[in-house]
Amino acid sequence: MGRNNGRRKSPTRRRPRSNPRGVLSVTAHGYGFVQTAEGEYFIPASKMGTAFDGDFVEVAPAKVNREHRQDDKEHNRTGGRPTGRIVGVIVRNHESIVGRFEVAEPFGVVVPEDPRIPYDIFTLLKDNPQVNDGDLVRVRMVEYPTRHSAATGVVEEVLGREEDVRLDGELVIAR
């Protein structure tokens, strides 16, 4: 059988030592783009992982069957931007997020006002007795979402009450 006693040699490394890295720019429709030294990658909403808009991320090329696509978007055409998937977040861009507070016993849920952030942030309702349902708040991120857990945070301040007429102006300033 030879010198290796019938064992097969381990396969060689199939993926590159390091993946391209860049800043993720998410659109309001949920998909995004990452500009890297190797070029720009299109990131479908389903391949975002837990990354937020503005995060410095690591991208891996993703295989997409472009033959069965009906739409004529640039990233689906042969020769268009390569499709990628987020494999890791290197540096987070958001330490705090502005959103509307919703009561969901025993939690308070902050729904981000920015449509480019698709994750709700959970807080404990007992820690926020001064916050009412519908208030605009700034929440400091404690834990970012993972595949197995939700995002959690702590309400730092109430920016406006639900009935406040100036709320739209406050929202623009807070962002």
PDB file of all heavy atoms in Angstrom, residues 1-28:
ATOM      1  N   MET A   1       0.806  -1.190   0.000  1.00  0.00           N
ATOM      2  CA  MET A   1       0.000   0.000   0.000  1.00  0.00           C
ATOM      3  C   MET A   1       0.848   1.251   0.000  1.00  0.00           C
ATOM      4  O   MET A   1       0.325   2.329  -0.084  1.00  0.00           O
ATOM      5  CB  MET A   1      -0.887   0.044   1.236  1.00  0.00           C
ATOM      6  CG  MET A   1      -1.997  -0.928   1.231  1.00  0.00           C
ATOM      7  SD  MET A   1      -3.477   0.012   1.461  1.00  0.00           S
ATOM      8  CE  MET A   1      -4.649  -1.094   0.881  1.00  0.00           C
ATOM      9  N   GLY A   2       2.057   1.136   0.203  1.00  0.00           N
ATOM     10  CA  GLY A   2       2.901   2.326   0.162  1.00  0.00           C
ATOM     11  C   GLY A   2       3.240   2.823   1.552  1.00  0.00           C
ATOM     12  O   GLY A   2       2.978   2.181   2.559  1.00  0.00           O
ATOM     13  N   ARG A   3       3.796   3.974   1.580  1.00  0.00           N
ATOM     14  CA  ARG A   3       4.312   4.529   2.820  1.00  0.00           C
ATOM     15  C   ARG A   3       3.234   5.110   3.736  1.00  0.00           C
ATOM     16  O   ARG A   3       3.452   5.264   4.919  1.00  0.00           O
ATOM     17  CB  ARG A   3       5.319   5.612   2.500  1.00  0.00           C
ATOM     18  CG  ARG A   3       6.489   5.023   1.730  1.00  0.00           C
ATOM     19  CD  ARG A   3       7.400   6.078   1.262  1.00  0.00           C
ATOM     20  NE  ARG A   3       8.197   6.558   2.391  1.00  0.00           N
ATOM     21  CZ  ARG A   3       9.078   7.508   2.316  1.00  0.00           C
ATOM     22  NH1 ARG A   3       9.292   8.110   1.162  1.00  0.00           N
ATOM     23  NH2 ARG A   3       9.756   7.884   3.358  1.00  0.00           N
ATOM     24  N   ASN A   4       2.049   5.435   3.198  1.00  0.00           N
ATOM     25  CA  ASN A   4       1.047   6.086   4.047  1.00  0.00           C
ATOM     26  C   ASN A   4       0.001   5.112   4.577  1.00  0.00           C
ATOM     27  O   ASN A   4      -1.038   5.515   5.058  1.00  0.00           O
ATOM     28  CB  ASN A   4       0.389   7.245   3.305  1.00  0.00           C
ATOM     29  CG  ASN A   4      -0.350   6.802   2.060  1.00  0.00           C
ATOM     30  OD1 ASN A   4      -0.459   5.616   1.789  1.00  0.00           O
ATOM     31  ND2 ASN A   4      -0.844   7.773   1.305  1.00  0.00           N
ATOM     32  N   ASN A   5       0.266   3.827   4.507  1.00  0.00           N
ATOM     33  CA  ASN A   5      -0.601   2.792   5.069  1.00  0.00           C
ATOM     34  C   ASN A   5      -2.053   2.877   4.609  1.00  0.00           C
ATOM     35  O   ASN A   5      -2.969   2.686   5.387  1.00  0.00           O
ATOM     36  CB  ASN A   5      -0.544   2.808   6.597  1.00  0.00           C
ATOM     37  CG  ASN A   5       0.840   2.503   7.101  1.00  0.00           C
ATOM     38  OD1 ASN A   5       1.576   1.768   6.448  1.00  0.00           O
ATOM     39  ND2 ASN A   5       1.212   3.064   8.231  1.00  0.00           N
ATOM     40  N   GLY A   6      -2.278   3.197   3.376  1.00  0.00           N
ATOM     41  CA  GLY A   6      -3.625   3.209   2.837  1.00  0.00           C
ATOM     42  C   GLY A   6      -4.408   4.490   3.103  1.00  0.00           C
ATOM     43  O   GLY A   6      -5.527   4.651   2.654  1.00  0.00           O
ATOM     44  N   ARG A   7      -3.847   5.421   3.856  1.00  0.00           N
ATOM     45  CA  ARG A   7      -4.557   6.676   4.114  1.00  0.00           C
ATOM     46  C   ARG A   7      -4.386   7.608   2.928  1.00  0.00           C
ATOM     47  O   ARG A   7      -3.331   7.650   2.302  1.00  0.00           O
ATOM     48  CB  ARG A   7      -4.010   7.361   5.359  1.00  0.00           C
ATOM     49  CG  ARG A   7      -4.344   6.584   6.614  1.00  0.00           C
ATOM     50  CD  ARG A   7      -3.862   7.337   7.792  1.00  0.00           C
ATOM     51  NE  ARG A   7      -2.403   7.557   7.650  1.00  0.00           N
ATOM     52  CZ  ARG A   7      -1.569   7.617   8.652  1.00  0.00           C
ATOM     53  NH1 ARG A   7      -2.011   7.500   9.872  1.00  0.00           N
ATOM     54  NH2 ARG A   7      -0.295   7.802   8.454  1.00  0.00           N
ATOM     55  N   ARG A   8      -5.428   8.316   2.670  1.00  0.00           N
ATOM     56  CA  ARG A   8      -5.357   9.292   1.579  1.00  0.00           C
ATOM     57  C   ARG A   8      -4.672  10.551   2.078  1.00  0.00           C
ATOM     58  O   ARG A   8      -4.782  10.916   3.240  1.00  0.00           O
ATOM     59  CB  ARG A   8      -6.763   9.644   1.099  1.00  0.00           C
ATOM     60  CG  ARG A   8      -7.422   8.449   0.438  1.00  0.00           C
ATOM     61  CD  ARG A   8      -8.806   8.771   0.001  1.00  0.00           C
ATOM     62  NE  ARG A   8      -8.806   9.982  -0.820  1.00  0.00           N
ATOM     63  CZ  ARG A   8      -9.891  10.599  -1.213  1.00  0.00           C
ATOM     64  NH1 ARG A   8     -11.069  10.142  -0.873  1.00  0.00           N
ATOM     65  NH2 ARG A   8      -9.821  11.686  -1.950  1.00  0.00           N
ATOM     66  N   LYS A   9      -4.004  11.210   1.188  1.00  0.00           N
ATOM     67  CA  LYS A   9      -3.396  12.484   1.530  1.00  0.00           C
ATOM     68  C   LYS A   9      -4.487  13.505   1.776  1.00  0.00           C
ATOM     69  O   LYS A   9      -5.525  13.479   1.137  1.00  0.00           O
ATOM     70  CB  LYS A   9      -2.524  12.971   0.378  1.00  0.00           C
ATOM     71  CG  LYS A   9      -1.083  12.604   0.497  1.00  0.00           C
ATOM     72  CD  LYS A   9      -0.326  13.101  -0.688  1.00  0.00           C
ATOM     73  CE  LYS A   9       0.301  14.440  -0.404  1.00  0.00           C
ATOM     74  NZ  LYS A   9       1.187  14.889  -1.460  1.00  0.00           N
ATOM     75  N   SER A  10      -4.259  14.404   2.693  1.00  0.00           N
ATOM     76  CA  SER A  10      -5.258  15.440   2.931  1.00  0.00           C
ATOM     77  C   SER A  10      -5.294  16.379   1.724  1.00  0.00           C
ATOM     78  O   SER A  10      -4.278  16.637   1.093  1.00  0.00           O
ATOM     79  CB  SER A  10      -4.931  16.217   4.201  1.00  0.00           C
ATOM     80  OG  SER A  10      -3.708  16.901   4.045  1.00  0.00           O
ATOM     81  N   PRO A  11      -6.483  16.838   1.389  1.00  0.00           N
ATOM     82  CA  PRO A  11      -6.588  17.710   0.216  1.00  0.00           C
ATOM     83  C   PRO A  11      -5.868  19.036   0.462  1.00  0.00           C
ATOM     84  O   PRO A  11      -5.729  19.481   1.595  1.00  0.00           O
ATOM     85  CB  PRO A  11      -8.093  17.929   0.067  1.00  0.00           C
ATOM     86  CG  PRO A  11      -8.657  17.651   1.409  1.00  0.00           C
ATOM     87  CD  PRO A  11      -7.747  16.653   2.045  1.00  0.00           C
ATOM     88  N   THR A  12      -5.427  19.624  -0.616  1.00  0.00           N
ATOM     89  CA  THR A  12      -4.767  20.918  -0.489  1.00  0.00           C
ATOM     90  C   THR A  12      -5.796  21.983  -0.164  1.00  0.00           C
ATOM     91  O   THR A  12      -6.997  21.785  -0.336  1.00  0.00           O
ATOM     92  CB  THR A  12      -4.045  21.288  -1.801  1.00  0.00           C
ATOM     93  OG1 THR A  12      -5.011  21.298  -2.841  1.00  0.00           O
ATOM     94  CG2 THR A  12      -2.944  20.310  -2.121  1.00  0.00           C
ATOM     95  N   ARG A  13      -5.307  23.101   0.286  1.00  0.00           N
ATOM     96  CA  ARG A  13      -6.190  24.208   0.648  1.00  0.00           C
ATOM     97  C   ARG A  13      -6.983  24.639  -0.583  1.00  0.00           C
ATOM     98  O   ARG A  13      -6.431  24.869  -1.634  1.00  0.00           O
ATOM     99  CB  ARG A  13      -5.360  25.382   1.155  1.00  0.00           C
ATOM    100  CG  ARG A  13      -6.202  26.546   1.611  1.00  0.00           C
ATOM    101  CD  ARG A  13      -5.335  27.711   2.011  1.00  0.00           C
ATOM    102  NE  ARG A  13      -4.348  27.343   3.003  1.00  0.00           N
ATOM    103  CZ  ARG A  13      -4.434  27.648   4.292  1.00  0.00           C
ATOM    104  NH1 ARG A  13      -5.456  28.325   4.724  1.00  0.00           N
ATOM    105  NH2 ARG A  13      -3.494  27.297   5.117  1.00  0.00           N
ATOM    106  N   ARG A  14      -8.291  24.733  -0.420  1.00  0.00           N
ATOM    107  CA  ARG A  14      -9.141  25.053  -1.563  1.00  0.00           C
ATOM    108  C   ARG A  14      -9.572  26.512  -1.587  1.00  0.00           C
ATOM    109  O   ARG A  14     -10.057  26.995  -2.564  1.00  0.00           O
ATOM    110  CB  ARG A  14     -10.381  24.175  -1.523  1.00  0.00           C
ATOM    111  CG  ARG A  14     -10.003  22.743  -1.731  1.00  0.00           C
ATOM    112  CD  ARG A  14     -11.041  22.029  -2.521  1.00  0.00           C
ATOM    113  NE  ARG A  14     -10.444  20.797  -3.008  1.00  0.00           N
ATOM    114  CZ  ARG A  14     -10.866  19.604  -2.717  1.00  0.00           C
ATOM    115  NH1 ARG A  14     -11.923  19.457  -1.977  1.00  0.00           N
ATOM    116  NH2 ARG A  14     -10.254  18.546  -3.185  1.00  0.00           N
ATOM    117  N   ARG A  15      -9.443  27.198  -0.469  1.00  0.00           N
ATOM    118  CA  ARG A  15      -9.852  28.596  -0.458  1.00  0.00           C
ATOM    119  C   ARG A  15      -8.621  29.463  -0.221  1.00  0.00           C
ATOM    120  O   ARG A  15      -7.628  29.002   0.342  1.00  0.00           O
ATOM    121  CB  ARG A  15     -10.930  28.864   0.579  1.00  0.00           C
ATOM    122  CG  ARG A  15     -10.542  28.640   1.985  1.00  0.00           C
ATOM    123  CD  ARG A  15     -11.726  28.889   2.923  1.00  0.00           C
ATOM    124  NE  ARG A  15     -11.206  29.260   4.215  1.00  0.00           N
ATOM    125  CZ  ARG A  15     -11.217  30.471   4.720  1.00  0.00           C
ATOM    126  NH1 ARG A  15     -11.746  31.449   4.038  1.00  0.00           N
ATOM    127  NH2 ARG A  15     -10.713  30.727   5.900  1.00  0.00           N
ATOM    128  N   PRO A  16      -8.692  30.703  -0.627  1.00  0.00           N
ATOM    129  CA  PRO A  16      -7.515  31.563  -0.453  1.00  0.00           C
ATOM    130  C   PRO A  16      -7.209  31.795   1.021  1.00  0.00           C
ATOM    131  O   PRO A  16      -8.056  31.634   1.886  1.00  0.00           O
ATOM    132  CB  PRO A  16      -7.930  32.869  -1.139  1.00  0.00           C
ATOM    133  CG  PRO A  16      -9.403  32.826  -1.234  1.00  0.00           C
ATOM    134  CD  PRO A  16      -9.804  31.387  -1.244  1.00  0.00           C
ATOM    135  N   ARG A  17      -5.970  32.166   1.284  1.00  0.00           N
ATOM    136  CA  ARG A  17      -5.553  32.413   2.664  1.00  0.00           C
ATOM    137  C   ARG A  17      -6.337  33.555   3.292  1.00  0.00           C
ATOM    138  O   ARG A  17      -6.636  33.540   4.454  1.00  0.00           O
ATOM    139  CB  ARG A  17      -4.066  32.725   2.718  1.00  0.00           C
ATOM    140  CG  ARG A  17      -3.212  31.524   2.438  1.00  0.00           C
ATOM    141  CD  ARG A  17      -1.753  31.895   2.652  1.00  0.00           C
ATOM    142  NE  ARG A  17      -0.889  30.809   2.276  1.00  0.00           N
ATOM    143  CZ  ARG A  17      -0.552  29.827   3.082  1.00  0.00           C
ATOM    144  NH1 ARG A  17      -1.015  29.797   4.298  1.00  0.00           N
ATOM    145  NH2 ARG A  17       0.240  28.867   2.672  1.00  0.00           N
ATOM    146  N   SER A  18      -6.644  34.562   2.509  1.00  0.00           N
ATOM    147  CA  SER A  18      -7.432  35.675   3.039  1.00  0.00           C
ATOM    148  C   SER A  18      -8.436  36.114   1.983  1.00  0.00           C
ATOM    149  O   SER A  18      -8.187  36.040   0.788  1.00  0.00           O
ATOM    150  CB  SER A  18      -6.533  36.846   3.432  1.00  0.00           C
ATOM    151  OG  SER A  18      -5.915  37.382   2.291  1.00  0.00           O
ATOM    152  N   ASN A  19      -9.579  36.561   2.448  1.00  0.00           N
ATOM    153  CA  ASN A  19     -10.630  37.033   1.561  1.00  0.00           C
ATOM    154  C   ASN A  19     -10.535  38.544   1.430  1.00  0.00           C
ATOM    155  O   ASN A  19      -9.997  39.213   2.314  1.00  0.00           O
ATOM    156  CB  ASN A  19     -12.001  36.642   2.126  1.00  0.00           C
ATOM    157  CG  ASN A  19     -12.246  35.154   2.029  1.00  0.00           C
ATOM    158  OD1 ASN A  19     -11.980  34.543   1.012  1.00  0.00           O
ATOM    159  ND2 ASN A  19     -12.750  34.567   3.105  1.00  0.00           N
ATOM    160  N   PRO A  20     -11.103  39.089   0.361  1.00  0.00           N
ATOM    161  CA  PRO A  20     -11.114  40.550   0.207  1.00  0.00           C
ATOM    162  C   PRO A  20     -11.882  41.199   1.348  1.00  0.00           C
ATOM    163  O   PRO A  20     -12.817  40.619   1.901  1.00  0.00           O
ATOM    164  CB  PRO A  20     -11.838  40.761  -1.121  1.00  0.00           C
ATOM    165  CG  PRO A  20     -11.843  39.448  -1.811  1.00  0.00           C
ATOM    166  CD  PRO A  20     -11.718  38.400  -0.759  1.00  0.00           C
ATOM    167  N   ARG A  21     -11.496  42.434   1.675  1.00  0.00           N
ATOM    168  CA  ARG A  21     -12.141  43.181   2.755  1.00  0.00           C
ATOM    169  C   ARG A  21     -12.510  44.571   2.268  1.00  0.00           C
ATOM    170  O   ARG A  21     -11.825  45.137   1.429  1.00  0.00           O
ATOM    171  CB  ARG A  21     -11.216  43.302   3.962  1.00  0.00           C
ATOM    172  CG  ARG A  21     -10.916  41.980   4.605  1.00  0.00           C
ATOM    173  CD  ARG A  21      -9.946  42.132   5.740  1.00  0.00           C
ATOM    174  NE  ARG A  21      -9.751  40.851   6.419  1.00  0.00           N
ATOM    175  CZ  ARG A  21      -9.096  40.716   7.540  1.00  0.00           C
ATOM    176  NH1 ARG A  21      -8.550  41.759   8.120  1.00  0.00           N
ATOM    177  NH2 ARG A  21      -8.974  39.531   8.093  1.00  0.00           N
ATOM    178  N   GLY A  22     -13.592  45.103   2.810  1.00  0.00           N
ATOM    179  CA  GLY A  22     -14.013  46.449   2.452  1.00  0.00           C
ATOM    180  C   GLY A  22     -15.210  46.876   3.280  1.00  0.00           C
ATOM    181  O   GLY A  22     -15.703  46.137   4.127  1.00  0.00           O
ATOM    182  N   VAL A  23     -15.695  48.091   3.015  1.00  0.00           N
ATOM    183  CA  VAL A  23     -16.832  48.650   3.745  1.00  0.00           C
ATOM    184  C   VAL A  23     -18.120  48.283   3.023  1.00  0.00           C
ATOM    185  O   VAL A  23     -18.249  48.469   1.810  1.00  0.00           O
ATOM    186  CB  VAL A  23     -16.695  50.179   3.875  1.00  0.00           C
ATOM    187  CG1 VAL A  23     -17.923  50.783   4.533  1.00  0.00           C
ATOM    188  CG2 VAL A  23     -15.444  50.535   4.665  1.00  0.00           C
ATOM    189  N   LEU A  24     -19.082  47.770   3.785  1.00  0.00           N
ATOM    190  CA  LEU A  24     -20.373  47.366   3.243  1.00  0.00           C
ATOM    191  C   LEU A  24     -21.279  48.576   3.118  1.00  0.00           C
ATOM    192  O   LEU A  24     -21.458  49.327   4.071  1.00  0.00           O
ATOM    193  CB  LEU A  24     -21.024  46.319   4.157  1.00  0.00           C
ATOM    194  CG  LEU A  24     -22.451  45.903   3.821  1.00  0.00           C
ATOM    195  CD1 LEU A  24     -22.511  45.200   2.469  1.00  0.00           C
ATOM    196  CD2 LEU A  24     -23.011  45.008   4.915  1.00  0.00           C
ATOM    197  N   SER A  25     -21.857  48.746   1.949  1.00  0.00           N
ATOM    198  CA  SER A  25     -22.834  49.801   1.702  1.00  0.00           C
ATOM    199  C   SER A  25     -24.145  49.119   1.342  1.00  0.00           C
ATOM    200  O   SER A  25     -24.255  48.469   0.303  1.00  0.00           O
ATOM    201  CB  SER A  25     -22.351  50.694   0.552  1.00  0.00           C
ATOM    202  OG  SER A  25     -23.321  51.665   0.264  1.00  0.00           O
ATOM    203  N   VAL A  26     -25.148  49.242   2.227  1.00  0.00           N
ATOM    204  CA  VAL A  26     -26.429  48.561   2.059  1.00  0.00           C
ATOM    205  C   VAL A  26     -27.449  49.532   1.477  1.00  0.00           C
ATOM    206  O   VAL A  26     -27.510  50.689   1.885  1.00  0.00           O
ATOM    207  CB  VAL A  26     -26.939  48.001   3.398  1.00  0.00           C
ATOM    208  CG1 VAL A  26     -28.272  47.287   3.229  1.00  0.00           C
ATOM    209  CG2 VAL A  26     -25.919  47.057   4.000  1.00  0.00           C
ATOM    210  N   THR A  27     -28.265  49.060   0.541  1.00  0.00           N
ATOM    211  CA  THR A  27     -29.333  49.871  -0.020  1.00  0.00           C
ATOM    212  C   THR A  27     -30.597  49.707   0.821  1.00  0.00           C
ATOM    213  O   THR A  27     -30.694  48.797   1.643  1.00  0.00           O
ATOM    214  CB  THR A  27     -29.646  49.456  -1.470  1.00  0.00           C
ATOM    215  OG1 THR A  27     -30.219  48.144  -1.451  1.00  0.00           O
ATOM    216  CG2 THR A  27     -28.389  49.458  -2.339  1.00  0.00           C
ATOM    217  N   ALA A  28     -31.571  50.563   0.586  1.00  0.00           N
ATOM    218  CA  ALA A  28     -32.847  50.471   1.306  1.00  0.00           C
ATOM    219  C   ALA A  28     -33.598  49.201   0.926  1.00  0.00           C
ATOM    220  O   ALA A  28     -34.498  48.773   1.643  1.00  0.00           O
ATOM    221  CB  ALA A  28     -33.705  51.694   1.010  1.00  0.00           C
TER     222      ALA A  28
END
